[in-house]
Structures are given as structure tokens and as C-alpha cells.
Amino acid sequence: MLDAKMPEAWRVLRIQSELVDGIERLITLKGAVTVFGSARFREEAVEYQEAMRLGELLAGEGIPVITGGGPGIMEACNRGAFTHAGASIGLNIELPFEQMPNPYLDISLNFRYFFVRKFMFVKHAVGFIAMPGGYGTMDELFEALTLVQTQKVRRFPIVLVGKRYWAGLLDWLMNTVLERACIDAGDLDLFTLVDTVDEAAEIIIDYIRQREP
């Protein structure tokens, strides 16, 4: 019985080490924005170019950028921040298929456990921006919405970029989820839908300025 429990004990220690390492590496990081989006967009895609501009806009205001550290939207946003002297952070995750950290990172951390990585995404963020993405983006988006809805974290801007892309989700939330009373009408105010990264950056920048003493 003792032998069977040992792997679980070591797993707890590994979780602890990831938490400690992440906290220590990011301890000086203040007022960052976490950006999510698909890893599948290539450099020539409009979404990639928009994400790179988003990184530039945030860096221009001295706002650190946190992404999942991989390719696609993540790389683009890190790239925009990195090439404009902004703080660029990537929180990578070990996956069955290899995902190498992108080359535009001032700080690169690698995680085995999704929940530890999620904690780091939230801990230093004063805003979330979700660009077009798949399951991972949806996961992080609804995690953030749930934390704010349940008041586990202070309310902060959660911005969705791309009205056409997110229209179906918004329609489902309004006409199915809300209609069945699975959420309240006020829950739809927990996020803002915009069409451009300029609008998203403006929302974040205004929020940060209002928070400053």
C-alpha cells in the first residue's frame, strides 16, 4: 500500500515545485495582460498580424504580455511586445505533441500541470484578451468568466476580439443558456466583444489607468 502511494506523493512535490518556481520567476511582474488564441494561425494570417499589433500596443503602454508561450496567436502577441521592448512572458505546457516555446520571450516557463499554469495566467493579470481560438482558448475564457462570476478574483476586463468569430457563441449564450436561466442577464456583462485589437487595447489601457492611484 505504501509503495502505491509513493508516486502520488512525488506528484504533489512536483506540483509544489511548479508553483514555487512560477511565483519566484514572476514575482516582480505587475499589471500584465494575458492573451489567448489559437496556436494554428501562421504568420501570413490576418489573426497573426492583429495579435502582433496587440502586443505592440500593450508594450507601448508598458503593459507586460503573458501568453501560453507557443506558436500562432501566442507567438504573434509575444513578438509584438518583444520587438517593442515590452515584457514578454510565455507559460508553456507539456503536451503529447511537441510545442516548443516561441523565440520572442523574456521569461519562459514550462508546466506539466494545466491547473498550475492557469493559476499563473490569473495571478499577475489585470485583464484577459481572447482572440480566435479553439478548445484551449475556450477553456481559459470560461475559467476567467467563472472566477469573476463567483467573485473568486477581483473583476477585470475580459475582452473577446472578432465579432464575426464569436457571434455564434454569444448567440448560444443569449438564446439558449440565458433563456434556460442557466446564467443571469448580468453574467453577459462580464465580457466585452470588440472587432479590433485597437479597441481591446483601449479597454485594457483605460482600466489600468483608472486603477492607478
Side-chain angles (χ1 to χ4, degrees), residues 67-72 74-76 78 88-95 97-111 117:
T67 78
M74 297 173 282
E75 175 183 297
N78 285 134
S88 176
I89 297 92
L91 309 183
N92 214 326
I93 186 76
E94 294 179 14
L95 298 172
F97 47 91
E98 189 173 22
Q99 176 176 291
M100 297 296 294
N102 70 65
Y104 305 104
L105 301 171
D106 297 304
I107 299 175
S108 178
L109 299 177
N110 196 52
F111 295 90
R117 182 179 183 237

Side-chain angles (χ1 to χ4, degrees), residues 28-93:
T28 61
L29 193 63
K30 304 295 182 184
V33 173
T34 300
V35 180
F36 300 107
S38 177
R40 304 187 185 195
F41 288 115
R42 298 186 180 277
E43 186 173 355
E44 61 272 15
V46 172
E47 291 83 357
Y48 186 104
Q49 297 300 318
E50 284 290 287
M52 191 158 65
R53 173 165 172 74
L54 176 60
E56 295 171 1
L57 290 169
L58 296 174
E61 295 292 328
I63 302 171
V65 170
I66 301 174
T67 78
I73 294 292
M74 297 173 282
E75 175 183 297
C77 196
N78 285 134
R79 181 177 178 180
F82 187 82
T83 56
H84 283 70
S88 176
I89 297 92
L91 309 183
N92 214 326
I93 186 76

Side-chain angles (χ1 to χ4, degrees), residues 13-30:
L13 289 174
R14 178 158 186 172
I15 292 168
Q16 184 181 48
S17 71
E18 285 196 356
L19 281 167
V20 171
D21 184 50
I23 290 170
E24 286 188 345
R25 293 283 302 279
L26 303 178
I27 195 167
T28 61
L29 193 63
K30 304 295 182 184

Side-chain angles (χ1 to χ4, degrees), residues 66-174:
I66 301 174
T67 78
I73 294 292
M74 297 173 282
E75 175 183 297
C77 196
N78 285 134
R79 181 177 178 180
F82 187 82
T83 56
H84 283 70
S88 176
I89 297 92
L91 309 183
N92 214 326
I93 186 76
E94 294 179 14
L95 298 172
F97 47 91
E98 189 173 22
Q99 176 176 291
M100 297 296 294
N102 70 65
Y104 305 104
L105 301 171
D106 297 304
I107 299 175
S108 178
L109 299 177
N110 196 52
F111 295 90
R112 182 173 184 177
Y113 300 102
F114 269 110
F115 66 90
V116 179
R117 182 179 183 237
K118 285 181 177 181
F119 171 76
M120 295 301 165
F121 278 140
V122 174
K123 180 174 174 57
H124 301 283
V126 296
F128 273 29
I129 297 177
M131 298 194 67
Y135 285 160
T137 301
M138 302 291 180
D139 177 41
E140 302 296 350
L141 170 62
F142 281 103
E143 174 90 8
L145 289 171
T146 301
L147 289 171
V148 174
Q149 181 200 47
T150 57
Q151 300 180 30
K152 292 297 183 182
V153 297
R154 178 180 178 178
R155 183 167 179 174
F156 56 79
I158 300 171
V159 186
L160 280 60
V161 179
K163 290 182 178 179
R164 184 176 180 184
Y165 186 85
W166 296 107
L169 175 63
L170 184 58
D171 179 71
W172 174 70
L173 287 173
M174 293 179 63

